[in-house]
Amino acid sequence: MNHIKKSFDGVGVISDISLSVNEGEVLSIIGPSGSGKSTLLRCATMLERMDGGDLVYLGRYAAREEDGRCVYASQQDLKEIKRNIGLVFQNFNLFPHYSVLKNIVAPQLIAGKTKENAESRAMELLKSLGLTDHRDKYPCQLSGGQQQRVSIARALALDPQILFFDEPTSALDPELTAEVLRVIKELASQHMTMVIVTHEMEFARELSDWIIFMENGYIQAEGTPKDLFSTDNARVQSFVGKLRA
Amino acid sequence: MSLVTVFTQLMGGMGITVAIFLLTLLFSMPLGMLVVLLRMSANKVVSAIMMVYISIMRGTPLMLQIIVIYFAPYYVFHINISSSYRFIAVIIAFSLNYAAYFAEIYRSGFKSVPHGQYEAANVLGYNRSQTFFHIILPQVIKRVLPPVTNEVITLVKDTSLAFAIATAEMFTIAKQISAKEASLMPLMAAGLFYYIFNALVAWGCAWIEKKYDYYRI
């Protein structure tokens, strides 16, 4: 992403942000609420249209700035580019009328897979996430942690090249948070490329290759976890310190 | 005069009443869906037209709408009204009126589906029509079943308004017999018919609602 800009009704939310993620890397985005973290993620996953800047996945332009305007690629190109992207929401957004299994199978069918392939992939994911016993349940019958694991499975089933997480544990209690973080750690160990917006500082420090600290729509500081957590930037220090206390 | 003879005399009218009921549902439920989709469309002109339509349908009496639709061809266009048009006018008026109410019920259903459902479908590669038919519509149906039941029950009773243009539905006939025989019995029988009809409708709707009970939203 280069020089991303986004404003709502004239109020700037993101001002000139650039970032990139390499294959197999984990990038965490931290910062106070309202700093534009989620908006940045929504621009990256094309849920929001940017006002300016370039968006490139695997060398293909999803959007590029021309004459001060942001021009998106054709519908067909965007559809193909989007296939590389997975997104896990803060509040899961599972489909309530589908069983756990169908939540994971249905999007694969939409993507054109056969029923057998989709189901075997789903069962494989459910097994690795310890959810096999829950496959016939409905989302309303699961705990938040289980729902979030299902939504991770749903995203993984489409074999994304990069997986985005929008505060994946913010709706969960500490125990369920740990349950979901374990899964994300497991993915990191398999070298899944991930971008994670989170308030879990220890987790970000342990897992990330690179951390971005955002505030007021700007990147205030960034670096490796080691650098960022030992920074002499007073603002970052106070934010990280408060969360760890 | 026994209840049985009254019921026999009312039989033909019951057929008309049931026909008005079924045909109105058949036309107004899909028409209401069309109205709400246009009402929620991004095109402001289309949306405004639908709002005016809904406002007129809800803001004026159904009885007046029936009369206007029945007499309009003659008064406005000077076309002679054939007797078969009477029943058609009733169906048109009921369908247009109920479509407006159904549209508003559907709208409340659409509004109550969280925006995250659209976003999840979007990132999972669903196109607009797949999102609508696979993800949104099933949830809307579950949400609108209770208010739709209410509206359908109202429709059963509203069929009696067709008497305004002398349609030979059951209530019209019951009133005629009652006046001729100077007896309340035919009206009581009519009341009993509506009550039983609605009990069946309520039972049917409850059955459908139960079928959608397998998940919570």
Side-chain angles (χ1 to χ4, degrees):
Chain A
M1 299 178 95
N2 288 317
H3 308 294
I4 303 303
K5 294 175 205 77
K6 173 72 189 174
S7 57
F8 293 106
D9 300 325
V11 181
V13 177
I14 294 181
S15 333
D16 198 16
I17 283 193
S18 300
L19 62 88
S20 66
V21 194
N22 296 324
E23 216 176 313
E25 273 186 5
V26 177
L27 168 73
S28 293
I29 304 171
I30 61 172
S33 300
S35 59
K37 305 184 299 291
S38 289
T39 305
L40 180 64
L41 207 69
R42 295 170 60 82
C43 286
T45 50
M46 291 177 260
L47 286 175
E48 299 285 353
R49 289 183 85 87
M50 309 180 299
D51 300 328
D54 304 329
L55 182 59
V56 188
Y57 283 101
L58 301 166
R60 290 180 70 174
Y61 275 86
R64 89 166 74 212
E65 188 163 319
E66 282 169 17
D67 307 326
R69 277 177 53 244
C70 192
V71 183
Y72 276 80
S74 70
Q75 287 283 341
Q76 188 55 37
D77 282 356
L78 285 180
K79 202 178 161 188
E80 282 168 25
I81 293 169
K82 273 184 173 178
R83 287 206 178 148
N84 300 312
I85 307 172
L87 172 61
V88 174
F89 295 88
Q90 179 177 349
N91 51 359
F92 332 129
N93 288 332
L94 290 173
F95 300 133
H97 56 307
Y98 286 171
S99 68
V100 165
L101 184 66
K102 197 167 177 197
N103 260 285
I104 304 169
V105 168
Q108 297 184 73
L109 299 179
I110 295 285
K113 278 206 218 173
T114 65
K115 197 158 185 263
E116 294 77 49
N117 285 343
E119 276 180 0
S120 71
R121 177 80 175 117
M123 287 311 295
E124 179 189 309
L125 283 162
L126 286 174
K127 196 176 164 210
S128 74
L129 293 173
L131 292 162
T132 309
D133 294 344
H134 302 297
R135 66 173 185 184
D136 295 323
K137 289 188 183 168
Y138 286 85
C140 62
Q141 298 168 299
L142 302 179
S143 75
Q146 289 164 340
Q147 289 190 51
Q148 192 58 299
R149 282 188 286 151
V150 173
S151 89
I152 292 172
R154 182 176 70 170
L156 288 174
L158 297 173
D159 302 313
Q161 298 297 309
I162 180 167
L163 192 50
F164 292 88
F165 292 85
D166 187 8
E167 301 193 24
T169 59
S170 293
L172 305 175
D173 70 29
E175 219 174 347
L176 300 177
T177 295
E179 178 183 314
V180 170
L181 295 187
R182 256 200 313 278
V183 171
I184 301 176
K185 273 182 199 166
E186 176 63 26
L187 289 173
S189 73
Q190 296 163 11
H191 302 292
M192 179 81 206
T193 312
M194 294 188 281
V195 176
I196 307 170
V197 169
T198 185
H199 289 303
E200 299 290 329
M201 292 303 125
E202 278 309 320
F203 169 72
R205 177 152 90 157
E206 196 183 323
L207 206 67
S208 313
D209 296 293
W210 197 254
I211 300 182
I212 286 175
F213 177 82
M214 266 184 84
E215 188 159 43
N216 302 327
Y218 289 100
I219 294 180
Q220 298 287 355
E222 61 180 314
T224 61
K226 199 162 160 266
D227 291 345
L228 199 76
F229 279 75
S230 57
T231 176
D232 39 12
N233 180 325
R235 178 64 189 116
V236 178
Q237 250 183 5
S238 100
F239 183 77
V240 173
K242 264 181 210 150
L243 279 154
R244 290 165 83 191
Chain B
M1 226 188 148
S2 77
L3 196 62
V4 178
T5 42
V6 173
F7 262 112
T8 323
Q9 283 175 305
L10 290 179
M11 203 71 95
M14 284 176 195
I16 307 256
T17 295
V18 173
I20 295 172
F21 171 79
L22 290 177
L23 288 173
T24 301
L25 280 190
L26 182 70
F27 294 124
S28 65
M29 288 185 128
L31 188 60
M33 186 57 75
L34 181 68
V35 171
V36 76
L37 293 179
L38 295 174
R39 161 89 170 77
M40 295 191 305
S41 95
N43 186 324
K44 288 216 167 71
V45 178
V46 171
S47 172
I49 292 171
M50 287 305 130
M51 278 167 74
V52 170
Y53 166 72
I54 291 169
S55 142
I56 292 172
M57 286 299 145
R58 294 203 302 185
T60 61
L62 174 54
M63 194 191 290
L64 177 102
Q65 293 162 15
I66 296 169
I67 293 170
V68 166
I69 287 174
Y70 180 54
F71 287 109
Y74 181 72
Y75 285 131
V76 182
F77 306 106
H78 302 288
I79 301 164
N80 278 323
I81 302 168
S82 71
S83 63
S84 63
Y85 177 65
R86 197 192 301 273
F87 182 71
I88 295 168
V90 167
I91 300 302
I92 293 174
F94 271 88
S95 299
L96 291 178
N97 179 278
Y98 271 77
Y101 283 94
F102 282 131
E104 284 299 279
I105 291 175
Y106 298 157
R107 193 164 69 92
S108 73
F110 280 109
K111 290 264 170 192
S112 69
V113 175
H115 196 60
Q117 292 289 307
Y118 292 89
E119 295 189 337
N122 181 322
V123 290
L124 291 166
Y126 286 68
N127 65 28
R128 281 180 63 140
S129 85
Q130 287 164 337
T131 303
F132 181 78
F133 288 106
H134 294 264
I135 306 301
I136 305 302
L137 192 58
Q139 298 185 51
V140 168
I141 292 172
K142 178 180 168 80
R143 282 162 199 262
V144 301
L145 276 174
V148 163
T149 302
N150 227 355
E151 205 54 34
V152 172
I153 285 174
T154 304
L155 172 60
V156 171
K157 294 175 288 182
D158 272 359
T159 53
S160 60
L161 287 174
F163 92 98
I165 54 170
T167 311
E169 48 76 48
M170 187 197 57
F171 182 68
T172 309
I173 298 172
K175 250 181 50 174
Q176 286 165 356
I177 304 172
S178 169
K180 197 172 77 193
E181 304 280 337
S183 158
L184 261 186
M185 172 83 95
L187 295 178
M188 293 297 174
L192 186 64
F193 170 78
Y194 286 121
Y195 186 82
I196 293 169
F197 193 169
N198 267 329
L200 290 172
V201 167
W203 178 82
C205 290
W207 182 78
I208 297 171
E209 229 180 290
K210 218 177 153 88
K211 281 197 69 163
Y212 275 88
D213 252 358
Y214 68 91
Y215 74 93
R216 263 199 337 269
I217 293 169

